[in-house]
Amino acid sequence: MNKSSRPGFTLVELLVVIAIIGVLVGLLLPAVQAAREAARRMSCSNNFKQLGLSLHNYHSAYDKLPQHMTGNTRTWTNDSTVCNRLYLSALVGLTPFMEQQSLWEQISNPGDRNKDGSISFPGDNPPMGPGPWQTYYEPWMTDIPTLRCPSDPGRGAPALGRSNYSVCVGDVIELVHSGGKNESNIYDNSTAIDTDEAGIRNGGGSDNNTRATDARSRNRGMFWARHTTAFRDVLDGLSNTIAMGEIATILGGREIISEFVLNGPDAITTNPAACDSQVDPARPQFWLSTASVGGGNQIRGGRWADGRLQYTAFQTIKPPNSLSCYRGGDASQGISSASSRHQGGAHVLMGDGAVKFITSSIESGNQQATPAHSGRESSFGLWGSLGTRAGKETIDSDF
């Protein structure tokens, strides 16, 4: 009697099938990951469009843009638990226009001035909140979904509430950190224009005409710290002028796109290349181990309500995904660059509300040049020109 044989797979056949499946998975995974990043990038762009609508709605309501570096002055007191000393970002004023009315009401709830001149604050918080670095104040610790790019995985401590979106303050280094004014809203020339903090922290005094002239010639962006600007000031046209740009937040790996150097070289106020030597030549996307990067909550995009350069502002000097470097501490002058977790560049929001993706290879002029001012053409090519509101540069619409 013949024995019947049962059909089956040989070991070689099984191994071949497994190998084929492995190859297919290997081919499909990058495509899946690319599709997910494309979706995240689109979501990021949509967030920026929402911010653009918020800016235009704010301007329709008040005939001006939200002031960057605003709040209450140092006139009352130097105590940052009572007074925010004009350090609030423009994002604070936008909160009621991006569906954060309840948060705005918490922040703007005014205090009552007593007969003796002292102030009583409901819930022990001052009107417009305390200094935007105070961690006890819940609004400053809040992560606002509209301010976060889904491609950026940075979350939680040591940051306060994070933001991936920042305002454009032009293409110059000197005096854009303060707009030329001190904490009492005074044009203060008590320190030289090219020093570390250049008067940003001082209080009192009287307006100095020379400092006012210097500040006006150097603050060329759509936003001017501690000053109000409006669409009428944008003589280059809203479609040719950057209003806001992306910034990547810290992951802790000493990346140049998400961590900045403090106490950098003095020459940074006039030479954008002064800090380049602190980048690791073997790993050009990272800082050298000897570079003094920010720590604690003094981190890139780590305080959504803080208007200082390091947290919610950038300049069109170095192209997207370049380094950020400052002469002193987190109130000092320096360079703040746009950056993102997207491959090859970063989103910007134009003044007309359009969102564009700017590549890291955009033409950016002479990166060792002293930034031009006083009505001169930008030193930093097309990228610098896009950051100025009234430079009268000729810009190709296909940038």
Side-chain angles (χ1 to χ4, degrees):
M1 185 173 66
N2 296 328
K3 293 183 178 179
S4 61
S5 61
R6 297 178 60 187
F9 293 107
T10 66
L11 178 60
V12 173
E13 290 172 330
L14 279 174
L15 291 175
V16 169
V17 170
I18 291 171
I20 292 172
I21 292 173
V23 169
L24 291 175
V25 169
L27 292 173
L28 287 173
L29 273 180
V32 171
Q33 290 171 345
R36 287 177 176 172
E37 170 53 24
R40 289 191 292 265
R41 180 168 156 177
M42 182 175 294
S43 178
C44 182
S45 175
N46 288 337
N47 282 348
F48 238 160
K49 290 177 182 177
Q50 181 64 41
L51 286 173
L53 286 172
S54 300
L55 276 178
H56 278 258
N57 288 336
Y58 186 102
H59 196 279
S60 295
Y62 300 110
D63 291 324
K64 60 184 179 181
L65 292 167
Q67 183 174 312
H68 191 64
M69 297 278 279
T70 186
N72 43 49
T73 68
R74 191 177 178 177
T75 305
W76 294 347
T77 175
N78 188 35
D79 183 358
S80 64
T81 63
V82 175
C83 174
N84 53 54
R85 309 198 310 248
L86 298 180
Y87 282 105
L88 300 187
S89 74
L91 300 174
V92 175
L94 283 181
T95 51
F97 295 89
M98 53 183 178
E99 300 182 352
Q100 295 293 327
Q101 182 66 32
S102 60
L103 188 64
W104 169 248
E105 289 175 356
Q106 283 183 280
I107 296 167
S108 61
N109 190 15
D112 299 320
R113 187 173 290 277
N114 301 321
K115 291 181 179 180
D116 62 359
S118 62
I119 302 171
S120 299
F121 302 124
D124 298 322
N125 291 318
M128 296 305 294
W133 51 87
Q134 297 289 354
T135 57
Y136 72 84
Y137 189 58
E138 185 176 349
W140 300 162
M141 300 297 291
T142 301
D143 265 324
I144 301 173
T146 307
L147 298 181
R148 296 308 318 276
C149 173
S151 294
D152 191 325
R155 292 290 183 276
L160 283 69
R162 297 192 187 210
S163 174
N164 288 111
Y165 308 110
S166 59
V167 302
C168 180
V169 291
D171 64 338
V172 181
I173 301 170
E174 293 174 333
L175 297 184
V176 301
H177 70 315
S178 67
K181 289 187 173 182
N182 67 14
E183 295 174 359
S184 295
N185 208 34
I186 300 295
Y187 287 111
D188 179 12
N189 75 333
S190 60
T191 53
I193 194 173
D194 61 349
T195 55
D196 178 359
E197 296 179 354
I200 186 174
R201 288 190 185 277
N202 297 334
S206 57
D207 283 330
N208 179 272
N209 289 337
T210 300
R211 181 50 54 92
T213 300
D214 289 339
R216 184 170 297 280
S217 68
R218 287 162 173 77
N219 285 273
R220 296 156 39 118
M222 186 173 288
F223 287 86
W224 180 0
R226 291 176 174 165
H227 294 72
T228 57
T229 54
F231 288 155
R232 66 175 178 270
D233 300 315
V234 187
L235 303 184
D236 289 347
L238 295 178
S239 62
N240 293 327
T241 307
I242 295 173
M244 301 181 71
E246 269 191 276
I247 53 174
T249 69
I250 187 172
L251 300 181
R254 300 180 70 85
E255 298 172 283
I256 64 169
I257 66 168
S258 63
E259 299 193 44
F260 51 74
V261 162
L262 295 177
N263 302 307
D266 290 349
I268 195 65
T269 50
T270 55
N271 180 10
C275 215
D276 290 0
S277 61
Q278 300 198 43
V279 176
D280 188 343
R283 305 171 70 216
Q285 294 180 332
F286 298 86
W287 294 107
L288 286 168
S289 60
T290 54
S292 176
V293 298
N297 59 38
Q298 293 184 345
I299 53 180
R300 189 81 166 127
R303 303 179 186 175
W304 76 269
D306 198 323
R308 284 174 286 186
L309 276 175
Q310 293 83 351
Y311 308 116
T312 54
F314 79 102
Q315 299 127 301
T316 53
I317 296 176
K318 287 185 171 294
N321 293 330
S322 298
L323 61 82
S324 297
C325 179
Y326 307 92
R327 178 171 174 157
D330 70 341
S332 63
Q333 306 194 81
I335 295 175
S336 181
S337 299
S339 62
S340 81
R341 299 287 174 188
H342 311 304
Q343 186 67 33
H347 288 109
V348 297
L349 173 71
M350 307 305 291
D352 64 352
V355 177
K356 297 184 179 290
F357 189 78
I358 304 295
T359 65
S360 301
S361 59
I362 187 172
E363 196 273 310
S364 53
N366 181 1
Q367 286 293 300
Q368 295 184 335
T370 298
H373 52 81
S374 301
R376 289 181 291 161
E377 186 174 335
S378 177
S379 300
F380 307 111
L382 174 58
W383 179 233
S385 299
L386 289 170
T388 62
R389 66 179 182 272
K392 300 293 183 71
E393 303 96 342
T394 301
I395 296 174
D396 186 342
S397 61
D398 294 329
F399 64 87

